[in-house]
């Protein structure tokens, strides 16, 4: 395991310990959300990752972007068609300052129909997609669904702690034929450990969707309530009214 990956995993563990406990089973998430595991190499991704990052070594690639250096590893495949796939990767920044963030990358790759799905041909690269965390972390959780839009939607979630207040947020990214497009940002959690009588907080998950029109986030914890996001003419999903979730 590289030093960069070790630092990132420790940071994720520390952050996770400050976030609210998981929702009770009664709040069923529409999206199967999983923790980002940067030590796992998903089946089938090495051949695609080597096309996306030609300088990759042992399923890890370093890319300098601006003044920062990021260590990318493959996360998942999301099928776009019979001959096209999106490879999602996460990039950790060695910087551990509170203002330092990681990156999530998406590469579109084409392949022949049927199996195996390689050799691959690179169709497009986007290196700053979705939600990222503090202290150099990329997304902490991820998932995807076809229930929200006509194209697959990538779910990425991250968060941070500011003066004892912990907040989580998620970004929904539609994987359109022309490239990834962020279509919604949702606050998924809040808790306050800054005082003895601090707010124990809430945590929310997407529980339902009217495809192409709206989706609902259900919260539980110190309060239970739903918030609905509706799609506008520009394709963006926005919250109806004001959120009841405290912001950091």
């Amino acid at each position: 395991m590289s030093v960069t990956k070790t630092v990132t995993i420790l940071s994720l563990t520390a952050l996770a310990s400050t976030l609210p406990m998981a929702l009770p089973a009664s709040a069923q998430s529409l999206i199967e959300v999983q923790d980002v595991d940067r030590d796992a190499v998903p089946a089938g991704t090495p051949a695609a990752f080597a096309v996306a990052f030609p300088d990759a070594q042992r399923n890890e690639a370093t890319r300098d972007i601006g003044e920062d250096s990021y260590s990318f590893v493959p996360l998942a495949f999301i099928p776009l068609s019979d001959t096209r796939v999106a490879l999602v990767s996460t990039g950790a920044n060695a910087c551990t300052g509170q203002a330092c963030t990681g990156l999530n990358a998406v590469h579109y790759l084409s392949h022949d129909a049927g199996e195996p799905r390689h050799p691959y041909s690179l169709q497009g690269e986007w290196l700053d997609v979705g939600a990222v965390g503090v202290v150099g972390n990329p997304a902490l959780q991820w998932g995807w669904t076809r229930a929200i839009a006509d194209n697959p939607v990538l779910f990425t979630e991250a968060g941070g702690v500011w003066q004892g207040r912990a907040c989580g947020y998620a970004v929904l990214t539609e994987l359109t034929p022309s490239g990834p497009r962020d279509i919604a940002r949702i606050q998924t959690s809040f808790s306050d450990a800054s005082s003895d009588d601090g707010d124990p907080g809430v945590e929310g998950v997407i529980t339902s969707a009217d495809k192409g029109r709206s989706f609902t986030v259900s919260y539980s914890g110190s309060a239970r309530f739903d918030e609905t996001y509706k799609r506008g003419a520009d394709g963006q999903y926005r919250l109806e009214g004001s959120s009841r979730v405290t912001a950091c």
Side-chain angles (χ1 to χ4, degrees):
M1 182 187 299
S2 71
V3 173
T4 301
K5 291 170 75 176
T6 303
V7 170
T8 302
I9 292 166
L10 291 175
S11 299
L12 297 182
T13 302
L15 175 57
S17 67
T18 67
L19 295 177
M21 297 296 291
L23 282 170
S26 58
Q28 183 64 45
S29 176
L30 180 69
I31 303 171
E32 182 181 350
V33 178
Q34 307 173 53
D35 290 339
V36 169
D37 184 355
R38 284 178 48 83
D39 280 330
V41 180
T45 58
F49 189 75
V51 173
F53 296 93
D55 57 347
Q57 297 183 355
R58 297 182 180 179
N59 302 310
E60 184 173 3
T62 300
R63 182 77 66 88
D64 292 332
I65 301 173
E67 298 181 355
D68 294 310
S69 180
Y70 298 86
S71 171
F72 285 94
V73 295
L75 175 65
F77 276 139
I78 298 177
L80 302 178
S81 72
D82 290 341
T83 58
R84 207 178 196 198
V85 67
L87 172 68
V88 184
S89 307
T90 60
N93 187 342
C95 171
T96 57
Q98 187 72 6
C100 298
T101 65
L103 292 174
N104 308 309
V106 172
H107 291 82
Y108 282 8
L109 302 127
S110 62
H111 58 84
D112 293 337
E115 296 291 343
R117 292 186 299 184
H118 57 81
Y120 293 95
S121 176
L122 183 63
Q123 301 293 306
E125 174 181 80
W126 298 267
L127 297 177
D128 188 7
V129 175
V132 293
V134 296
V135 294
N137 287 311
L140 304 180
Q141 288 86 30
W142 78 280
W144 71 279
T145 181
R146 294 187 181 275
I148 290 175
D150 290 337
N151 302 292
V153 170
L154 171 67
F155 173 98
T156 48
E157 187 174 8
V161 181
W162 295 267
Q163 298 180 340
R165 288 183 158 195
C167 284
Y169 77 98
V171 171
L172 300 183
T173 305
E174 184 174 4
L175 302 177
T176 75
S178 60
R181 182 188 183 198
D182 291 346
I183 57 174
R185 178 185 169 104
I186 311 154
Q187 188 169 338
T188 53
S189 64
F190 170 82
S191 65
D192 185 1
S194 61
S195 63
D196 292 339
D197 58 350
D199 186 345
V202 295
E203 186 173 359
V205 295
I206 297 174
T207 51
S208 64
D210 181 0
K211 189 172 184 178
R213 296 174 181 270
S214 66
F215 63 83
T216 297
V217 182
S218 299
Y219 293 89
S220 68
S222 58
R224 287 181 175 270
F225 55 92
D226 293 341
E227 295 188 343
T228 299
Y229 289 72
K230 289 195 172 182
R231 194 166 207 178
D234 60 356
Q236 297 292 306
Y237 287 83
R238 296 181 178 86
L239 176 63
E240 281 191 313
S242 299
S243 178
R244 292 178 57 186
V245 185
T246 305
C248 286

